[in-house]
Amino acid sequence: MSIDLDITELAQRLRRRELRAEALVGDYLARIRALDPWLHAYVAVYPDEALDAARAADLQMDRGIWLGPLHGVPIALKDLIDIAGRPTTIGSPIHAETIATRTATLVRQLQQAGAIILGKTHMVQFAMGAWGPNQHMGTPRNPWDDDVHRIPGGSSSGSAVAVAGRLAPAAIGTDTGGSVRVPASYCGITGLKPTVGRISSQGVVTLSQTLDSVGIFAHSAADARLVFDALVPAAPGEWREPLDASRFGIAGATLGRLPEAFLADVTTAVRRAYEESIALYQSLGAQIVEITPPATLAEFKAVTGDIMMTEGVASFEREMTDFSLPVDESVRPRLLVGLDVPAVRYLAALRERDRLQAEMQGRLRGVAGLLTPSTLTTALPLTEIDHGNAPVHYTRIGNLLQMCGISVPNGRDDAGLPTGLQILCPGGEDRLALYLAEVFQRHSDWHRERAEARAPANAD
């Protein structure tokens, strides 16, 4: 069935006219109608517009007009991305009637590449949270467990669930401390956080101008690269070898791993998958060296928190300080902390960020990428999460140090829940990160596995 295919295969079939865009979009819309009342990935679906765009794409391809590998391919958007004439809720009923007057640059780029917008996806309110719950608009279900409502990860919860549940072949999210890579890990898919500013944020609501990145969800790194290429044309001299990861290996490349002190709290399953991933790269000829980050995980948390909370409350001061407005109990107290951060401490955090970034660049000299677990655990039940301890222990390093990163599925725990491997590369080396992930996926099959995502017969 078409919804089981990666974008790479879809593009080939669409171009050969073995598959029509209208039929492909119809298949996804049918699955959304059947499963989204259970998975709760979408805030809004645009069936008429999507089918009209699909018919237009078919006419173009019938006439030999080919816009590229996204031509006729559906995609979903996190609901903090503007489409003119549509609400941008930012995960909050406060903005249910806030109609966008412009269309985000990235949406126009996707449409110019022939992609078809399916709809907008749920998210943590105001993008403030990595577990995934939304008290007022509902929490998407992790599609790997139909019996227990497990966290999808956040804040790009609905985008991850849409891809993992095969309600879209790709989706756009944003990542301030891990909001693409964490849900990608929990939902068993691939999630790319590019370098800050690589994908345009014009028309995208901002939580933290220092830390935010627009990112991509897909089943594979190869698919994520196709979306990235449509949004970020390669610059002169930029890494281009990902064009064929089957030809270019990594023999002789140096990759970093974390020292034992940074792995003390990971679960057995996550640690096992991490060590097996490192062993896979070694078997392909990569040299593995130990890299100690320039701060402890607690220190990274403190510096990131001062920046994120200060800039976050500045972005949403009205919503946070008007206590008559419906703000999630897990969101308001944490963002209000930003009002108590003195300007001198905020500026000190920015200076510390710069110092840590320079030190990390020195430690990674000659190292292609740093390998870490994406999260400490697999997806927890919704009832067991601690909002005071966000699951961004490893991912926030990339945001603070202006790095790019990607999470790829790399194993399962005893309950069958997916684990994730994070690959962090220096800022600007986004295509290198994609390449390293593609090499991993050339030699593993975890990204090929799909969640069953079958709604129980008695589901509401």
Side-chain angles (χ1 to χ4, degrees), residues 144-145 150 269 378 412-418:
W144 286 90
D145 193 335
R150 292 183 181 272
T378 52
R412 298 275 200 94
D413 69 7
D414 292 341
L417 300 171

Side-chain angles (χ1 to χ4, degrees), residues 290-372:
E290 194 171 274
I291 299 292
T292 300
T296 66
L297 294 178
E299 290 166 341
F300 278 120
K301 179 180 180 180
V303 177
T304 306
D306 281 348
I307 296 171
M308 183 188 300
M309 302 310 177
T310 303
E311 295 180 351
V313 78
S315 295
F316 301 110
E317 183 178 6
R318 179 183 72 88
E319 293 90 340
M320 294 307 110
T321 56
D322 184 344
F323 287 85
S324 69
L325 296 177
V327 176
D328 285 11
E329 295 172 0
S330 63
V331 171
R332 177 176 269 136
R334 289 183 296 134
L335 271 181
L336 284 177
V337 167
L339 292 176
D340 297 324
V341 177
V344 292
R345 198 169 99 199
Y346 169 68
L347 294 174
L350 292 176
R351 289 195 298 272
E352 179 67 359
R353 184 273 316 260
D354 293 343
R355 185 189 72 79
L356 292 172
Q357 181 182 352
E359 191 167 340
M360 188 65 158
Q361 288 174 342
R363 297 185 186 196
L364 288 177
R365 191 167 292 115
V367 178
L370 174 63
L371 308 177
T372 82

